[in-house]
Amino acid sequence: MQRDKTSNSPKIQEDPHQAESAPPRQLFWADQKADEIIKRKRFRYLKKDIKKFDRYTIKTSASISGVLHIGRLSDTIRSESVVKALKDRGYDSDLIWVAEDMDPLRKIPEGVPQEYKKYLGTPVTDVPDPWGCHTSYAEHHVSKYLEVLNEFVSTDLTLFSMKEEYKKGNFKPYIKKILENLEDIKEIINKHRQNPLGRGWSPWTPICKGCGKIITPKVEGFENGKITYRCEDYKFEHQTAKGCGYEGENNPLKDYGKMMWKSEWAAQWARWEIVSEGAGKEYIVPSSAWWVNAEIAEKVLKFPMPVPIFYEHLMINGEKMSASVGNVVYPHQWLEIAPPVLLRFFYNKKLMKTRSFSFKDLPNLYDEYDRHARVYFGKEKIPNPKEENHMKRLYEISQSNTTEKPLKVSFSHAAMVSQIFTDENAKIQSLKRSGHYDRMLHNETLKRLEYAKRWAARYAPEESRISLDIDIKKIKQNLSKEQKAFLTRFSRWLEKPRTPEEIHNQIYSISKELGIPFKEAFKAIYLAVLGTKKGPKAATLIASLKQSWVIRRFNEVC
RNA sequence: GGGUCCGUAGCUCAGUCUGGCUAGAGCACCGGCCUUUUAAGCCGGGUGUCGCGGGUUCAAAUCCCGUCGGACCCGCCA
């Protein structure tokens, strides 16, 4: 099934700063990949020239069985960056997304009825939709997946489903070639195995005619183009997929089933003429599926190995993201506290460095992003031109259709302002006074205030939390006699409705009358209200609160 | 047994591929400034054996060899 999406394709914005000093060789990793893709001449395992590609297709795919967390967006986001780099060089390039929907159901996720145990080992495309809104379990998750992808990726994806591909027979020619060269395939795979593959081994996994499972058929032999199998129980992890005992035959060129991973991947590359694909760093090792498939692709299918985009996996608080640790970050959680572009920026940084995300450090990431924005727009200079170009490019390639101008308000400042003021107008007023407001970026500023507010409420560490809920006793001890006298006088005066100007003037007159330094008076106000020594303009802070509340609070701390 | 990546300031990271000015930034921190716009502002300060040891070089965070520490992978399956 190919579900083409039609919408405007992304335009990389022209940047006047880039034009004046185009560096001879790009430092940014996606540009290097693009150059490698364009310039490579020969096969890796054969003495053979690579034919010219009309267009450069990059593949990204996802298994449909697992949970969708932000870590799984990395492959697609990083692949997209290489597509962008190729397009920037004037080449036709597209990004295809393949649903690995022939994969078996491996566990029963939360929210799925326990009776689904009977589907363990069944291709997810053949499992019914537990929620009843799609034609299958796979369809349901694919649609969820795509909703998310379209939020985070700005390139149009061309969509494929492995189920549909097999059904349409698009893989037949490759299956045929692989079966014809069975001995070569085995030899390639055996090079990296301790125990050589047996006689009856087949690169094709049949699906049981009796129960429709893919994990349970045990291949007993492969002769004359036909696989004989018996459907048996299959144990994996903590689960057992029940076999049905069916004994039968399967013809890879006619019957239902799929290729094994070490063969199928190679066939996918050849079928879509893939020039590059992302893969986790575990594939770098010489005996991984990547290199096995690479050799199969070249030696058997005569298709050159794609340029790999190997990357490190995302960590959360320095730990692997996993449901059992309970540190899974879902895309919707990300979107509550940050825009998609920030995740793209994060993933577009150096690939092979372990990146750890933590909610606590989110302001850091925003600051880095803002700095890149300022450099991109020439508002900040970097002494090292190499570094400056790198920063500009990293920023540029992370953008979607429009290139965002740098905001004047930092995320942590936004967090503070949005915690103190509840009223949108008061927030903006505060930013205007402190020079953190840009009228041209009004909506963007509001958005950041929203993100920051949610972040502060849910994830901010104690020290960046500003709250009117303070330790009264402690403040009481910290305030001097003079400060208390000030607050008492002030609170009495506040019994009538006052304007911000009046409040402001009154702070000074009371201080003068009592003969205490203004500094101490302001400090007293901040301590009493926020528990801090500093704060936003005192008069507007008080004006933004209910006067009755202020009076009560001042009385409490005195 | 084999392989890959990472290690730079208290923290988060650039800079390493392509060796070249005194090793940088943000945050944090320290010191100072503000009597009618108290702004989480402004001014000043780098706090470092670039994990360690050797080599190459006129010159090494950067290249080579070794080593230590951390993360992970292959030798099941996908």
Side-chain angles (χ1 to χ4, degrees), chain A residues 90 195 224 404 493:
Chain A
N195 312 313
N224 306 321
E404 290 183 356
W493 177 82

Side-chain angles (χ1 to χ4, degrees), chain A residues 55-105:
Chain A
R55 52 190 309 111
Y56 293 107
T57 304
I58 296 181
K59 177 187 161 231
T60 174
S61 68
S63 164
I64 302 305
S65 46
V67 281
L68 173 52
H69 53 64
I70 59 168
R72 299 189 65 190
L73 297 173
S74 103
D75 194 89
T76 308
I77 288 174
R78 286 161 165 161
S79 302
E80 183 195 22
S81 295
V82 180
V83 168
K84 284 179 174 176
L86 284 162
K87 284 182 177 169
D88 285 354
R89 281 162 175 66
Y91 293 91
D92 278 337
S93 177
D94 34 32
L95 186 59
I96 69 167
W97 185 83
V98 180
E100 303 283 355
D101 50 3
M102 290 292 281
D103 287 357
L105 186 69

Side-chain angles (χ1 to χ4, degrees), chain A residues 1-65:
Chain A
M1 136 194 62
Q2 184 177 342
R3 290 159 289 191
D4 288 297
K5 195 172 59 110
T6 48
S7 72
N8 48 332
S9 65
K11 304 257 183 321
I12 305 297
Q13 294 256 315
E14 276 179 50
D15 169 34
H17 313 285
Q18 292 281 305
E20 53 195 44
S21 62
R25 173 129 148 63
Q26 282 284 354
L27 298 164
F28 186 66
W29 66 267
D31 290 315
Q32 292 177 359
K33 290 288 174 197
D35 287 339
E36 195 182 337
I37 290 164
I38 294 161
K39 287 179 187 153
R40 69 197 180 128
K41 295 265 186 289
R42 315 207 79 185
F43 280 56
R44 182 188 180 91
Y45 297 98
L46 303 176
K47 286 189 178 153
K48 193 168 156 66
D49 289 337
I50 294 174
K51 64 138 197 153
K52 221 177 153 268
F53 284 87
D54 297 332
R55 52 190 309 111
Y56 293 107
T57 304
I58 296 181
K59 177 187 161 231
T60 174
S61 68
S63 164
I64 302 305
S65 46

Side-chain angles (χ1 to χ4, degrees), chain A residues 220-233:
Chain A
E220 309 216 293
F222 180 34
E223 268 170 312
N224 306 321
K226 279 186 183 166
I227 290 162
T228 49
Y229 67 91
R230 186 213 309 265
C231 186
E232 294 176 356
D233 285 2

Side-chain angles (χ1 to χ4, degrees), chain A residues 96-121:
Chain A
I96 69 167
W97 185 83
V98 180
E100 303 283 355
D101 50 3
M102 290 292 281
D103 287 357
L105 186 69
R106 289 184 162 267
K107 63 179 173 192
I108 311 294
E110 243 178 273
V112 175
Q114 279 305 305
E115 66 187 73
Y116 266 62
K117 270 199 174 138
K118 67 182 176 203
Y119 293 117
L120 285 173

Side-chain angles (χ1 to χ4, degrees), chain A residues 40 50 148 193-194 237 279 333 339 358 457 486 518 534 537:
Chain A
R40 69 197 180 128
I50 294 174
V148 170
R193 279 180 70 99
Q194 280 178 327
E237 287 153 46
Q333 285 178 290
S358 77
F486 170 82
F518 300 123
K534 284 181 167 186
K537 195 177 259 186

